[in-house]
């Protein structure tokens, strides 16, 4: 394990600091918005601004990274993210905050992309799966730990905003100190959502509903917790418990899905999560609510990962990277709409609207999961894909997934002109493209 972590320790340290600041800011802004009297609809819109910026940054970041390099890009956007954090507390206005959230989303996805493309360059072969799992564990652990920082001060003071900015800026130190060579940023294959919808409709819908549900959770769960009586420390505890549920329970759920019909497992996971959301609706506080949120988090966070594994089951190897990018895009669009819809419903119906929003969204997916296998005979690749716990970050991390074909290095050897292939090997004919399911 030491030999695995040592070469990428600076990258893991950078992403841990970055997500400590990011996880703190997301919940902090929601609590500050509540204290400032913003409606839940406006808070939902603010949280959606981050995901909109995330999607915008996905298209903007690659050209900048190629033009000025990884370290300069990381330095630029880490500074920009820290500035955006501090301006939130200097100008307390919801429309200014909305612009800042979009800007912050663009910054975060670019920072993810820099770190993840560097990770891609450092590992290959059988180590990709281990590094991918380690990277996702660092992500979830940092997000959970960040919620506990809320107890250090009240959201009305400058302290927590300053701390979030410090953590974002501190991510620069391990990244700029790394001695690893800057990698080339690989091109991602084109994504055809219509083609993906024909080949793997259930994974695509599951990814979108997962984004819709978890987007509502990230954006409005702190509002929900404060409205049912939790103080700032209690809000942080509820968020941490839910995230930890997602981190802990994904593994047994994933192992079970690898050994059984994944579509049936997805149906049960989604259906139980929908029922849990209904059970949570009348519960206002206490350890019972925290326990149920732990279970709900474990199920809800697993949906996207199951969708990716199910998609791998249905695609040829040369389609997996493009398909994964399509699921990421669907998840991102869902996450952008989730807080707006959940916030509007909470504005009309109060705090009970959030768990009901979860229940209805997941219930729709459960119904579709039950109906779809009866309508479609899927073409499944061999061997089957394997479940890997994951979060939606940038599309660059998809190359680390253990089920995706390894991308060849783009940099040529220094003595390439002197290399002669004396024994050329006949190339295999590419597999015919899929045109849809039977």
């Amino acid at each position: 394990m030491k030999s695995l972590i040592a070469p990428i320790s600076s990258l893991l340290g950078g992403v841990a600091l970055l997500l400590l600041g990011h996880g703190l800011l997301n919940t902090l802004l929601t609590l500050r918005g509540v204290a400032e009297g913003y409606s839940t609809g406006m808070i939902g819109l603010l949280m959606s601004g981050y995901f909109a910026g995330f999607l915008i940054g996905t298209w903007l970041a690659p050209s900048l990274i190629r033009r000025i390099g990884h370290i300069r890009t990381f330095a630029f956007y880490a500074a920009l993210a820290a500035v955006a954090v501090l301006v939130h507390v200097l100008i307390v206005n919801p429309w200014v905050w909305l612009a800042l959230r979009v800007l912050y989303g663009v910054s975060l996805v670019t920072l993810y992309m820099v770190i993840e493309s560097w990770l891609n360059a450092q590992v290959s072969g059988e180590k990709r799966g281990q590094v991918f799992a380690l990277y996702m564990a660092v992500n979830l652990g940092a997000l959970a730990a960040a919620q506990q920082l809320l107890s250090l001060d009240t959201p009305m003071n400058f302290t927590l905003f300053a701390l979030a900015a410090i953590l974002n800026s501190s991510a620069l130190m391990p990244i700029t100190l790394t001695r690893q060579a800057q990698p080339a940023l690989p091109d991602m294959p084109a994504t055809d959502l219509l083609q993906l919808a024909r080949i793997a409709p259930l994974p695509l819908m599951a990814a979108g509903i997962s984004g819709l549900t978890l987007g509502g959770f990230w954006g409005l769960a702190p509002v929900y917790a404060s409205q049912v009586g939790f103080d700032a420390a209690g809000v942080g505890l509820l968020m941490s418990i839910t995230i930890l549920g997602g981190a802990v329970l994904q593994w047994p759920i994933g192992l079970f899905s690898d050994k059984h019909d994944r579509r049936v497992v997805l149906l049960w996971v989604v259906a139980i999560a929908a029922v849990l959301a209904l059970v949570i609706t009348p519960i206002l506080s206490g350890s019972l609510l925290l326990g149920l949120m732990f279970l709900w988090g474990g199920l809800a966070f697993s949906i996207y990962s199951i969708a990716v594994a199910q998609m791998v089951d249905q695609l040829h190897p040369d389609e997996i990277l493009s398909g994964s990018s399509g699921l990421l895009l669907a998840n991102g669009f869902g996450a952008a709409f989730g807080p707006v819809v959940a916030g509007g419903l909470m504005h009309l119906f109060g705090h009970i609207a959030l768990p009901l929003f979860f229940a209805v969204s997941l219930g729709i997916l459960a119904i579709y999961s039950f109906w779809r296998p009866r309508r479609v005979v899927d073409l499944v690749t061999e061997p089957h894909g394997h479940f890997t716990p994951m979060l939606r970050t940038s599309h660059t991390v998809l190359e680390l997934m253990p089920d995706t074909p390894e991308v060849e290095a783009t940099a040529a050897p220094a003595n390439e002109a002197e290399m002669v292939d004396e024994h050329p090997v006949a190339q295999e004919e590419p597999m015919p493209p899929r045109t849809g399911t039977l």
Side-chain angles (χ1 to χ4, degrees), residues 147-148 217 221-222 224-226 228 230-244 280 284-286 289-290 293-294 354:
Q147 310 307 312
Q148 300 308 302
F217 166 76
Y224 167 81
S226 64
V228 299
F230 286 95
D231 58 12
V235 171
L237 180 61
L238 182 140
M239 295 293 289
S240 292
I241 287 291
T242 309
I243 297 168
L244 286 174
I280 288 169
L284 297 182
S285 61
L289 177 59
L290 294 176
M293 288 300 295
F294 178 87
L354 186 63

Side-chain angles (χ1 to χ4, degrees), residues 30 90 97 152 178 290 317 343 371 415:
T30 303
L90 295 177
W97 279 21
L152 297 179
T178 184
L290 294 176
W371 171 81
N415 61 342

Side-chain angles (χ1 to χ4, degrees), residues 87-108:
V87 175
H88 278 94
V89 74
L90 295 177
I91 306 176
V92 183
N93 178 282
W95 299 108
V96 174
W97 279 21
L98 179 59
L100 292 172
R101 292 300 287 163
V102 174
L103 191 63
Y104 185 79
V106 172
S107 300
L108 259 288

Side-chain angles (χ1 to χ4, degrees), residues 56-416:
I56 294 169
T58 299
W59 284 285
L60 296 179
S63 59
L64 182 64
I65 294 173
R66 291 189 179 97
R67 185 160 62 88
I68 66 175
H70 283 65
I71 290 180
R72 288 182 179 179
T73 301
F74 194 93
F76 177 84
Y77 276 107
L80 186 61
V83 168
V85 171
L86 295 175
V87 175
H88 278 94
V89 74
L90 295 177
I91 306 176
V92 183
N93 178 282
W95 299 108
V96 174
W97 279 21
L98 179 59
L100 292 172
R101 292 300 287 163
V102 174
L103 191 63
Y104 185 79
V106 172
S107 300
L108 259 288
V109 73
T110 307
L111 296 173
Y112 275 131
M113 202 172 293
V114 169
I115 291 174
E116 290 166 2
S117 61
W118 230 324
L119 283 174
N120 287 331
Q122 300 305 313
V123 296
S124 61
E126 72 282 355
K127 291 185 179 180
R128 284 193 303 164
Q130 299 174 53
V131 170
F132 185 88
L134 180 61
Y135 177 69
M136 289 301 160
V138 170
N139 272 254
L140 283 165
L143 289 171
Q147 310 307 312
Q148 300 308 302
L149 300 176
L150 292 165
S151 61
L152 297 179
D153 203 353
T154 171
M156 297 303 295
N157 290 339
F158 179 72
T159 306
L160 294 178
F161 287 91
L163 180 57
I166 289 169
L167 289 167
N168 278 333
S169 301
S170 297
L172 270 166
M173 293 186 287
I175 299 299
T176 53
L177 286 175
T178 184
R179 292 179 293 177
Q180 303 292 343
Q182 298 187 60
L185 191 66
D187 292 321
M188 290 297 296
T191 299
D192 187 343
L193 286 180
L194 292 178
Q195 173 75 353
L196 185 60
R198 288 192 294 268
I199 298 173
L202 179 57
L204 186 64
M205 184 170 181
I209 295 293
S210 172
L212 189 74
T213 304
L214 290 180
F217 166 76
W218 291 115
L220 278 304
V223 178
Y224 167 81
S226 64
Q227 289 182 351
V228 299
F230 286 95
D231 58 12
V235 171
L237 180 61
L238 182 140
M239 295 293 289
S240 292
I241 287 291
T242 309
I243 297 168
L244 286 174
V248 172
L249 297 184
Q250 282 195 69
W251 288 104
I253 291 173
L255 290 174
F256 188 79
S257 76
D258 282 343
K259 298 177 181 179
H260 299 82
D261 186 336
R262 216 183 301 273
R263 290 170 299 181
V264 176
V265 174
L266 177 63
L267 170 61
W268 279 104
V269 165
V270 173
I272 295 172
V275 171
L276 278 176
L278 285 176
V279 173
I280 288 169
T281 303
I283 300 174
L284 297 182
S285 61
S287 57
L288 178 58
L289 177 59
L290 294 176
L292 291 172
M293 288 300 295
F294 178 87
L295 295 174
W296 183 86
L299 295 167
F301 276 80
S302 300
I303 295 171
Y304 180 63
S305 303
I306 295 174
V308 173
Q310 173 67 19
M311 179 215 64
V312 171
D313 288 345
Q314 296 180 264
L315 300 185
H316 292 318
D318 58 350
E319 297 172 323
I320 290 173
L321 198 57
S322 175
S324 299
S325 182
L327 293 195
L328 193 66
L329 186 62
N331 188 265
F333 278 118
F337 283 105
V340 173
V341 177
L345 292 173
M346 290 182 72
H347 180 68
L348 293 174
F349 303 109
H351 68 270
I352 64 170
L354 186 63
L356 287 176
F357 167 72
F358 295 156
V360 171
S361 300
L362 296 171
I364 291 171
L365 179 56
I367 293 171
Y368 185 76
S369 301
F370 178 78
W371 171 81
R372 188 68 200 180
R374 295 168 177 263
R375 305 287 298 178
V376 174
V377 178
D378 293 310
L379 300 179
V380 182
T381 60
E382 295 289 346
H384 292 288
H386 297 288
F387 179 98
T388 304
M390 62 186 302
L391 290 173
R392 178 188 50 80
T393 55
S394 83
H395 65 260
T396 314
V397 80
L398 298 175
E399 294 177 17
L400 274 177
M401 288 175 56
D403 287 312
T404 56
E406 191 168 353
V407 178
E408 295 181 1
T410 57
N415 61 342
E416 183 179 11

